[in-house]
C-alpha cells in the first residue's frame, strides 16, 4: 500500500486511530481552528482565493462559539461523544470542502483521516503548508495527534484500510465516486455520510430585480455564487428561473446578463480554450435533445453562455460543464416552480421574491428536492446543516444513561 501523509509530517496511522476522542468543543480544538482562520485571513497569498477567505471567516472563533452554543442547546443534559475515527474522502472538483467536514468532526472531538485528491493543486498546497506550520506549534499537540491528511491514487486496498479503521466514513464527490467507494466494506457498526451529485439554480423575481436599488451588488453576489468554483460546487447556480410576465422578464434579462458579463470582464476571468468548446458542445447537445424550442443566446465574450428553454422537461441536469453556462426558464408564478424541482436539486439562490412567498411555496407544494433557499451571495456559505444532515450531530454518538 502506498499512500503519503502530507499533514502532519511523521504521523503514524495506527497510533492515531488508537487515541481517545476529545470532549466536544475542547479548547485545544477551538484554538487550532482559530489559528488556521487567523493565518489565512492575514496571509496575502490567500487573497486570490476568495472561497478560502470565506472559509476562514466561517472558522473564526466568534462563529465557532455560536456553533457550540447551538450544539449545547440541542444536546441539553444528554451525553454526546465523538464517534471515534472519521474518514473523509474529499472531492476533486472542490478540494478544500474537506476542511469544513474535518473541522466540524474535529470540533466534537473525533480523530480524523482525510484523503485529498492526488491531482496537483496550488491552492490546496498553500493551505496544507499553513496547516502543517500550525500543527507543528507546541500549543497544538493534542490536535496534531488526532488528524492525518493523506494523498493517494484511487486504490481500493488503501481505501479499505482507512475504512476498516473508521467509525464514520464521509464521501464527497458525486454519484459515481459514491458507487465505487461503497463497494469497499465498512466495519459493521460504522456509519456513512454521502454527498451525491446535486443541481442548484437561481430563482429571480423579475419585477423585484428591476426595482432593486443596488443591482450591481446583486450581480456581484451572483457572480461569486457562480464563478468562485467555476460552477462546480454542488450549490453553485447552473440555471436561472425567472418569475414574472414575459415582457418584464425580458427587461430584467437584458439588465442582468449585461451587468454580469461586464463584471466577469472586469474580474479578468480566464478560461481554458477547452472549456469554451465544452460549453459549445453542451449547448448544442441540449438543443438537439430538446422536445421544445431552445434558444442559444450569444454574447460578445465566452464568459457567459445562455441556453433559454421553454419547457422544464428539457432541463438536463447531467449536461453541465460549468464555466459560465446557464440554462434559463421563465414561469408566470411561483407555484409553477413545483414542475421544475427534482430530488437532485439542492440550493436555490434567490432575489426579488419575499420570504413569506417562498415559505408558502415549500409548505403547499412540499418539493421532493431542495435543502436550502438562500439569498444571492450565500450559495457557497457553508452551514453545519448540509444536504439535510446536521453534521455536528451526525459526527456524535449518544450514550444513553438511564440510571436514577
Amino acid at each position: 500500500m502506498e499512500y503519503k501523509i502530507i499533514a502532519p509530517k511523521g504521523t503514524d496511522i495506527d497510533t492515531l486511530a488508537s487515541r481517545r476522542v476529545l470532549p466536544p468543543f475542547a479548547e485545544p480544538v477551538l484554538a487550532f481552528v482559530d489559528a488556521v482562520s487567523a493565518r489565512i485571513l492575514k496571509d496575502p497569498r490567500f487573497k486570490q482565493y476568495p472561497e478560502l477567505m470565506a472559509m476562514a471567516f466561517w472558522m473564526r472563533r466568534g462563529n465557532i462559539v455560536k456553533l457550540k452554543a447551538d450544539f449545547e442547546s440541542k444536546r441539553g443534559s444528554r451525553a454526546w461523544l465523538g464517534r471515534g475515527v472519521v474518514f473523509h474522502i474529499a472531492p476533486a472538483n472542490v478540494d478544500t470542502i474537506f476542511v469544513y467536514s474535518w473541522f466540524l468532526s474535529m470540533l466534537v472531538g473525533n480523530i480524523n483521516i482525510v484523503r485529498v485528491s492526488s491531482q496537483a493543486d496550488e491552492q490546496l498546497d498553500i493551505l496544507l503548508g499553513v496547516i502543517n506550520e500550525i500543527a507543528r506549534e507546541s500549543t497544538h499537540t493534542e490536535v496534531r495527534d488526532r488528524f492525518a491528511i493523506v494523498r493517494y491514487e484511487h486504490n481500493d486496498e488503501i481505501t479499505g484500510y482507512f475504512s476498516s479503521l473508521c467509525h464514520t466514513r464521509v464521501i464527497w464527490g458525486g454519484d459515481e465516486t459514491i458507487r465505487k467507494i461503497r463497494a469497499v466494506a465498512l466495519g459493521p457498526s460504522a456509519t456513512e455520510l454521502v454527498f451525491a451529485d446535486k443541481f442548484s439554480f437561481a430563482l429571480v423575481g423579475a419585477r423585484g430585480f428591476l426595482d432593486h436599488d443596488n443591482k450591481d451588488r446583486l450581480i456581484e453576489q451572483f457572480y461569486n455564487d457562480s464563478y468562485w468554483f467555476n460552477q462546480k460546487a454542488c450549490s453553485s447556480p447552473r440555471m436561472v428561473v425567472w418569475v414574472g410576465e414575459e415582457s418584464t422578464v425580458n427587461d430584467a434579462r437584458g439588465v442582468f446578463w449585461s451587468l454580469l458579463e461586464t463584471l466577469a470582464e472586469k474580474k479578468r476571468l480566464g478560461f481554458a480554450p477547452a472549456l469554451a468548446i465544452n460549453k459549445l458542445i453542451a449547448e448544442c447537445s441540449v438543443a438537439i435533445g430538446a422536445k421544445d424550442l431552445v434558444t442559444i443566446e450569444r454574447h460578445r465574450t465566452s464568459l457567459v453562455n445562455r441556453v433559454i428553454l421553454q419547457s422544464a422537461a428539457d432541463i438536463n441536469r447531467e449536461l453541465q460543464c460549468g464555466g459560465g453556462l446557464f440554462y434559463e426558464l421563465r414561469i408566470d408564478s411561483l407555484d409553477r416552480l413545483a414542475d421544475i424541482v427534482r430530488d437532485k436539486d439542492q440550493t436555490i439562490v434567490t432575489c426579488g421574491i419575499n420570504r413569506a412567498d417562498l415559505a408558502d411555496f415549500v409548505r403547499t407544494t412540499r418539493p421532493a428536492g431542495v435543502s436550502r433557499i438562500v439569498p444571492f451571495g450565500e450559495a457557497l456559505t457553508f452551514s453545519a446543516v448540509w444536504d439535510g444532515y446536521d453534521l455536528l450531530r451526525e459526527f456524535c454518538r449518544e450514550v444513553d444513561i438511564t440510571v436514577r
Side-chain angles (χ1 to χ4, degrees), residues 67-242:
L67 289 178
K68 179 183 178 184
D70 184 59
F71 175 86
E72 291 178 342
S73 173
K74 292 175 180 173
R75 180 183 61 185
S77 60
R78 290 174 290 177
W80 288 358
L81 297 174
R83 290 185 180 276
V85 177
V86 177
F87 176 34
H88 310 255
I89 300 173
N93 59 337
V94 191
D95 214 348
T96 51
I97 193 78
F98 78 87
V99 177
Y100 289 106
S101 64
W102 166 33
F103 277 14
L104 287 171
S105 173
M106 183 165 61
L107 283 169
V108 293
N110 287 303
I111 293 102
N112 294 277
I113 301 170
V114 183
R115 187 256 176 179
V116 296
S117 170
S118 55
Q119 298 174 16
D121 185 299
E122 181 183 352
Q123 176 184 358
L124 178 61
D125 290 343
I126 295 173
L127 176 62
L128 292 173
V130 166
I131 290 170
N132 260 322
E133 288 174 11
I134 295 173
R136 278 197 296 271
E137 296 171 4
S138 59
T139 51
H140 300 300
T141 304
E142 287 188 89
V143 173
R144 181 178 65 222
D145 290 346
R146 288 175 171 79
F147 81 91
I149 299 175
V150 302
R151 180 174 266 163
Y152 59 90
E153 298 289 341
H154 292 291
N155 183 304
D156 286 350
E157 183 184 5
I158 300 174
T159 299
Y161 168 60
F162 291 129
S163 297
S164 72
L165 297 174
C166 77
H167 301 89
T168 295
R169 184 167 66 185
V170 183
I171 308 172
W172 300 84
D175 300 355
E176 187 58 29
T177 298
I178 291 168
R179 274 192 284 270
K180 287 180 179 176
I181 294 175
R182 274 188 163 166
V184 179
L186 274 175
S189 60
T191 62
E192 187 172 63
L193 305 179
V194 297
F195 297 91
D197 289 331
K198 293 292 181 181
F199 185 86
S200 297
F201 61 88
L203 180 69
V204 184
R207 175 46 57 197
F209 172 75
L210 287 170
D211 290 344
H212 200 283
D213 58 5
N214 194 346
K215 287 186 270 296
D216 287 336
R217 179 60 181 151
L218 284 177
I219 292 301
E220 182 164 14
Q221 291 169 330
F222 180 79
Y223 172 90
N224 294 342
D225 289 338
S226 305
Y227 288 86
W228 273 5
F229 283 113
N230 212 9
Q231 287 183 294
K232 296 294 180 65
C234 56
S235 55
S236 304
R238 301 170 188 174
M239 176 171 71
V240 176
V241 177
W242 295 96

Side-chain angles (χ1 to χ4, degrees), residues 30-82:
L30 269 61
F32 180 82
V33 173
D34 193 46
V36 175
S37 169
R39 192 72 60 87
I40 292 173
L41 291 173
K42 289 179 181 175
D43 191 328
R45 293 177 297 172
F46 288 103
K47 293 194 183 304
Q48 61 181 314
Y49 304 116
E51 64 273 25
L52 285 183
M53 298 298 285
M55 183 179 73
F57 190 71
W58 177 85
M59 294 189 297
R60 73 198 190 286
R61 184 177 281 262
N63 189 51
I64 300 304
V65 168
K66 290 179 184 174
L67 289 178
K68 179 183 178 184
D70 184 59
F71 175 86
E72 291 178 342
S73 173
K74 292 175 180 173
R75 180 183 61 185
S77 60
R78 290 174 290 177
W80 288 358
L81 297 174

Side-chain angles (χ1 to χ4, degrees), residues 377-395:
E378 295 188 17
L380 304 177
T381 301
F382 195 79
S383 166
V385 177
W386 196 258
D387 266 8
Y389 294 119
D390 182 340
L391 291 171
L392 289 172
R393 184 67 189 92
E394 296 287 347
F395 288 136

Side-chain angles (χ1 to χ4, degrees), residues 277-290 294 296 298 307 319 325:
I277 300 298
N278 288 340
K279 289 197 286 186
L280 179 62
I281 292 171
E283 289 173 345
C284 295
S285 298
V286 171
I288 291 169
V294 168
I296 298 175
R298 292 294 174 206
V307 179
L319 197 57
L325 174 63

